Amino acid sequence: MEDAQRDDTTATEADDLGKSDVSLSDDSQADSPVPRLNQTGTGIKPKALPDPQADLNDPSLYFNRELSHLQFNIRVLEQALDEAHPLLNRLMFLLIFSSNMDEFFEIRVAGLKNQIMMADDGTGADGRGARSVLDEISSVAHDHVDRQYRILNEQLIPAMETRGIRFRRRTTWTKAQREWVYEYFRTEIEPVISPIGLDPSHPFPRLVNKSLNFIVELEGKDAFGREGGLAILPAPRSLPRVIALPKTLCEDGFDEYVFLSSMMHAHAEEVFPGMKVKGCYQFRLTRNADMTVDPEEVSDLASALRGELLARRYGSGVRLEVADNCPEELSDFLVKQFQLESGDLYRVNGPVNLTRMMSVLGTLDRPDLMYRPFTPGLPKSVRKSESLLQAMQEGDILLHHPFQSFVPVEDLLREAALDPDVLAIKQTLYRTGADSPIVNALVEAASNGKEVTVVIELRARFDEADNLALASRLQEAGAIVIYGVMAYKTHAKMMHIVRREKGELRYYAHLGTGNYHSKTAKLYTDYSLMTANPVLCEDVHKVFQQLSGMGRARHIEKLLHAPFTLHERVVEMIEREAAYAKKGNRAHIIVKCNSLTEPKLIQALYRASQAGVECDLIIRGMCCLRPGLPGISENIRVRSIIGRFLEHTRVYHFHNDGKPETWCSSADFMARNMFHRVETCFPLLDKKLAARVRKDLETYLVDNCQSWLLQSDGTYTKQEPGDAAPISAQETLLYAYAARA
């Protein structure tokens, strides 16, 4: 227990890392028997002399970011095969892979296609051209999409059937089920569908991005004497893609479902009376969904984004998915119609819109097939105090979501909204939703006459519409709404509260690594710092002043602030660690973030490795750094943790010659975060809290259940316990922090 709270400022840290000790979130869990194992390998020495002549700009030292992103999606797909996950969660991972791939094509592949179209020969640090990357993406994506459907059809669907969950194909419908399906089609589907015959007066329709459609071959003459040919049958977007059969029609003990696509296929001739349907094949087009707003041509960002949201639905095509039994002449016709290449065609053995199967998980009451529920914990200081503002006066509060509750963050804002001594509240919002406890509290505060200023980033990708609605609601309540700085997305997570106490103004602040979103706080790992530290709070105040007003960059005491000081200071701290290593002192860097792509940061880490610094990088997604290269990066280890929760914390830890510094941030190690966004990075000044976060990081470093190690050739190797005790970082943290059931 005391070990968890020790200062840890001596050079003996290396000795402690090899021991197993108990490190708990706070003293309320002191009776927990579960150890937080700290077995991080230490004492790495260069196996080869550092190469002083090495050109750190050499493209061979970098992985391509788009291909690295694709590898992350594949690691998500791998979870569908991991029997350590409950069955329905394995299905969820498979569907998340579909959702991730949709966005990958909408943004990443679309960007490469635009680059080729514009004859842009620019390359990234890896030196690869857009055509080369696009060709490799096509090859890898085709292989793994095929694999995805094999996993679904050959493993998950049969496994679910053994547990009483069945997806009925048309060929297996009972007579009673066929009758029910026909009635459902007649009353729910047929009245809202609009078939489109293709002829000179009916050109090929403009189909919405990712919508389910059918291409239908017809034979015969219609009422106007037109010869049959081809027709397009769009599926109603308002209808569910998977429909539960009534219990009275299900086999005893079963939950049974049918696909909307099966219903429409079975009754296609009802839509074309008197015509013979020779073939009916589902397809789906993925379009470019990226949005570009030129800051020099926009006077009203909100209006410009509303126009772009409409355009997103009809961007240029980037991928075509068709049923695998679709005749080649029809798939070729569609490829040509959408101006695609043959490599953009994906034949699938199942529904083309798998992501919509996610609705099934919300209808099933099968806790035996899902992760066990838990109650997020609360720090002792929060549980004991009736006022969060008072608790913050007594010391900083650090929450680790989702293992610890996000509710105190909401309660802090709610308390401030009701407190008559609170004068002003400022908040940044990136992904929140118009109807959330955070927004409700801000609306209430504005209604109570407090000065409420909200910096909303409208351009949070795929949340633009929600953010526009959010802005309108806050403005109607009397809050001042600011859209940040036009050329820089506001990605920082900050809250600032001004309160009058004993005739003077006192500041309170919240800083986080994740969004103010109560739902994602249950699914994403993030840190929240609630502080009344005068220096940190003053820094937050200055950042808000800079966002809402104009003027030169202000001096900020403790916070690091992108696009001004963050990148430069992180490089300096990496170089400081390298300087200690060159003197023969122990040097260690731990970085945990979502992506590592920025070349200058990668080069700083290469130089640190060459100097003998141990570099442990926990990078969930894209990583362009190539570890394990003799004389370059052999002291760097990169791992990715994929599990029940989406790893989202951004933490930078530096040993600093026995005077460790631990920073939490809203920023990843990417160029966009360092140079094109407003970000904050805050130090953990409370030594007990900093030591606790270091223990959390060490727990990730010994994970042998959900950890994937990046190899120097770009592949990832899943870590296995072997003869050692299995250690899941997320399960360990869940046990340490979450409340006892």
Side-chain angles (χ1 to χ4, degrees):
M1 173 62 196
E2 287 127 8
D3 187 59
Q5 298 180 341
R6 67 178 186 272
D7 185 349
D8 266 328
T9 58
T10 69
T12 61
E13 181 183 0
D15 298 328
D16 298 327
L17 291 177
K19 300 175 183 177
S20 296
D21 59 15
V22 176
S23 173
L24 302 172
S25 59
D26 75 22
D27 53 4
S28 68
Q29 307 293 341
D31 58 346
S32 170
V34 175
R36 297 280 297 283
L37 300 178
N38 300 314
Q39 299 172 340
T40 311
T42 58
I44 291 182
K45 301 299 179 186
K47 298 174 185 175
L49 291 175
D51 182 0
Q53 305 301 319
D55 178 8
L56 298 186
N57 291 306
D58 185 343
S60 68
L61 301 183
Y62 301 87
F63 295 125
N64 178 266
R65 59 171 285 166
E66 316 302 355
L67 292 170
S68 181
H69 191 166
L70 185 55
Q71 286 296 321
F72 164 68
N73 291 341
I74 292 168
R75 293 196 297 281
V76 172
L77 177 60
E78 291 290 341
Q79 306 307 306
L81 293 169
D82 188 346
E83 295 185 1
H85 298 299
L87 180 57
L88 290 181
N89 292 109
R90 290 170 60 193
L91 174 64
M92 181 188 69
F93 280 115
L94 182 127
L95 303 181
I96 290 173
F97 172 77
S98 279
S99 176
N100 287 354
M101 291 297 286
D102 285 350
E103 183 173 341
F104 182 75
F105 276 89
E106 288 174 301
I107 305 300
R108 304 298 175 186
V109 172
L112 291 169
K113 283 181 170 288
N114 279 344
Q115 193 175 335
I116 293 170
M117 183 180 65
M118 300 295 293
D120 180 357
D121 296 328
T123 61
D126 62 294
R128 296 189 60 170
R131 171 53 64 184
S132 168
V133 174
L134 198 58
D135 288 345
E136 186 166 346
I137 285 174
S138 179
S139 174
V140 174
H142 274 90
D143 288 345
H144 286 280
V145 168
D146 287 345
R147 185 162 166 257
Q148 174 192 25
Y149 280 87
R150 289 199 305 273
I151 294 170
L152 177 66
N153 294 323
E154 298 171 13
Q155 297 195 42
L156 296 184
I157 285 180
M160 285 189 286
E161 185 152 357
T162 65
R163 304 301 297 272
I165 302 168
R166 177 180 290 146
F167 294 91
R168 284 276 189 179
R169 294 182 179 273
R170 285 182 296 133
T171 55
T172 67
W173 292 345
T174 65
K175 182 176 182 295
Q177 289 171 344
R178 283 197 302 272
E179 292 173 352
W180 183 88
V181 166
Y182 173 72
E183 188 62 20
Y184 186 96
F185 177 85
R186 190 182 65 81
T187 59
E188 300 290 333
I189 302 176
E190 196 273 337
V192 292
I193 57 179
S194 298
I196 305 165
L198 301 183
D199 60 30
S201 63
H202 296 84
F204 200 96
R206 200 176 183 193
L207 302 175
V208 174
N209 182 30
K210 296 185 297 186
S211 59
L212 172 62
N213 301 278
F214 295 84
I215 184 166
V216 184
E217 283 187 294
L218 298 170
E219 189 177 81
K221 290 187 178 182
D222 73 358
F224 298 95
R226 295 175 298 182
E227 290 287 346
L230 295 178
I232 300 298
L233 184 59
R237 302 183 70 212
S238 58
L239 294 181
R241 294 314 190 239
V242 188
I243 296 99
L245 287 169
K247 278 292 188 181
T248 54
L249 299 180
C250 299
E251 184 178 334
D252 286 347
F254 273 77
D255 292 288
E256 299 197 32
Y257 297 87
V258 293
F259 290 100
L260 178 70
S261 55
S262 295
M263 291 181 167
M264 293 183 65
H265 198 160
H267 298 289
E269 289 195 346
E270 299 287 330
V271 184
F272 304 98
M275 307 286 284
K276 180 181 179 182
V277 173
K278 295 171 58 180
C280 180
Y281 311 99
Q282 57 178 310
F283 70 93
R284 185 175 77 141
L285 177 69
T286 306
R287 296 183 179 274
N288 181 344
D290 207 3
M291 296 190 357
T292 56
V293 178
D294 188 341
E296 295 184 359
E297 297 183 2
V298 171
S299 59
D300 184 341
L301 179 59
S303 296
L305 277 178
R306 288 188 180 96
E308 285 291 314
L309 283 170
L310 280 175
R312 170 184 280 170
R313 299 171 66 184
Y314 299 105
S316 57
V318 294
R319 175 185 60 171
L320 175 65
E321 298 162 281
V322 301
D324 60 357
N325 64 341
C326 181
E328 188 171 340
E329 61 269 21
L330 290 186
S331 61
D332 288 347
F333 168 77
L334 291 172
V335 166
K336 183 178 180 180
Q337 186 65 47
F338 298 126
Q339 299 179 326
L340 296 172
E341 301 173 5
S342 58
D344 300 321
L345 175 67
Y346 289 76
R347 292 182 172 274
V348 300
N349 181 17
V352 296
N353 50 346
L354 279 182
T355 306
R356 297 288 292 269
M357 284 183 68
M358 196 73 77
S359 62
V360 173
L361 300 178
T363 63
L364 281 167
D365 183 20
R366 294 297 302 270
D368 56 314
L369 301 181
M370 300 285 286
Y371 291 127
R372 70 183 188 277
F374 70 97
T375 301
L378 290 171
K380 185 177 180 179
S381 58
V382 173
R383 294 197 312 271
K384 282 192 165 186
S385 179
E386 294 182 1
S387 164
L388 281 163
L389 294 170
Q390 180 182 342
M392 292 164 68
Q393 293 171 16
E394 297 169 2
D396 288 355
I397 299 168
L398 185 70
L399 302 170
H400 193 176
H401 314 303
F403 316 110
Q404 290 180 299
S405 178
F406 184 72
V407 170
V409 180
E410 299 169 338
D411 286 347
L412 171 63
L413 195 54
R414 193 176 296 112
E415 180 180 340
L418 297 174
D419 189 332
D421 293 324
V422 168
L423 305 179
I425 300 171
K426 296 183 179 181
Q427 174 105 34
T428 60
L429 295 179
Y430 190 72
R431 300 185 193 276
T432 302
D435 186 18
S436 73
I438 290 285
V439 177
N440 291 342
L442 290 169
V443 167
E444 186 170 16
S447 301
N448 289 340
K450 303 184 188 306
E451 190 76 9
V452 176
T453 304
V454 185
V455 181
I456 298 178
E457 181 47 70
L458 293 180
R459 295 162 295 176
R461 185 175 286 150
F462 298 114
D463 279 301
E464 297 93 346
D466 286 345
N467 286 350
L468 285 166
L470 163 63
S472 296
R473 185 180 176 209
L474 286 167
Q475 287 170 329
E476 289 169 4
I480 299 171
V481 175
I482 298 167
Y483 298 140
V485 183
M486 186 64 196
Y488 299 86
K489 283 188 178 182
T490 302
H491 194 248
K493 326 304 184 186
M494 305 181 296
M495 179 197 304
H496 191 258
I497 297 169
V498 182
R499 188 171 189 261
R500 189 180 301 280
E501 298 176 8
K502 298 179 181 178
E504 296 183 353
L505 298 185
R506 181 163 185 172
Y507 294 164
Y508 299 83
H510 170 271
L511 291 156
T513 67
N515 299 305
Y516 291 103
H517 198 301
S518 55
K519 289 184 179 178
T520 56
K522 297 175 183 177
L523 303 172
Y524 294 10
T525 68
D526 275 304
Y527 283 112
S528 280
L529 178 67
M530 302 165 70
T531 182
N533 180 284
V535 178
L536 282 180
C537 290
E538 178 65 27
D539 283 353
V540 173
H541 169 68
K542 289 179 180 178
V543 175
F544 271 113
Q545 292 290 91
Q546 194 164 291
L547 280 170
S548 61
M550 300 186 74
R552 293 185 179 276
R554 306 182 68 175
H555 174 71
I556 294 178
E557 192 70 29
K558 292 290 184 182
L559 289 183
L560 303 182
H561 181 205
F564 304 107
T565 60
L566 178 55
H567 183 268
E568 179 183 359
R569 284 285 290 118
V570 171
V571 170
E572 286 176 359
M573 287 188 282
I574 295 172
E575 291 176 341
R576 180 185 65 187
E577 214 67 21
Y580 287 128
K582 288 176 181 177
K583 294 178 181 179
N585 299 343
R586 179 171 185 267
H588 191 195
I589 295 170
I590 307 175
V591 172
K592 183 175 185 295
C593 60
N594 300 328
S595 300
L596 170 57
T597 62
E598 204 282 307
K600 293 190 183 304
L601 289 172
I602 293 175
Q603 290 173 11
L605 290 167
Y606 282 155
R607 291 192 295 270
S609 173
Q610 290 178 313
V613 180
E614 300 171 59
C615 301
D616 281 299
L617 311 180
I618 307 166
I619 312 297
R620 184 195 79 207
M622 292 183 288
C623 181
C624 296
L625 179 147
R626 189 185 291 267
L629 298 176
I632 303 288
S633 59
E634 60 192 319
N635 291 332
I636 302 178
R637 292 163 295 200
V638 180
R639 71 190 67 230
S640 172
I641 305 292
I642 309 290
R644 172 177 182 173
F645 306 112
L646 183 74
E647 290 297 334
H648 197 252
T649 50
R650 290 99 165 191
V651 183
Y652 322 145
H653 173 79
F654 302 92
H655 179 62
N656 192 28
D657 202 28
K659 302 178 289 295
E661 292 185 5
T662 303
W663 302 74
C664 295
S665 181
S666 60
D668 288 310
F669 273 28
M670 302 176 71
R672 71 183 188 191
N673 297 93
M674 296 291 164
F675 307 120
H676 305 294
R677 289 186 172 186
V678 176
E679 305 273 13
T680 53
C681 177
F682 51 96
L684 296 179
L685 301 176
D686 185 305
K687 293 179 179 179
K688 290 181 180 179
L689 297 181
R692 171 187 142 190
V693 170
R694 182 179 65 81
K695 296 288 187 178
D696 292 349
L697 293 173
E698 291 164 8
T699 302
Y700 284 105
L701 295 181
V702 297
D703 186 299
N704 57 19
C705 294
Q706 298 171 322
S707 179
W708 297 73
L709 283 186
L710 176 59
Q711 308 301 305
S712 58
D713 64 356
T715 60
Y716 281 81
T717 302
K718 175 80 178 295
Q719 299 302 286
E720 302 291 348
D723 295 331
I727 303 171
S728 163
Q730 292 187 356
E731 285 295 313
T732 303
L733 293 169
L734 190 62
Y735 196 95
Y737 287 122
R740 298 292 177 262

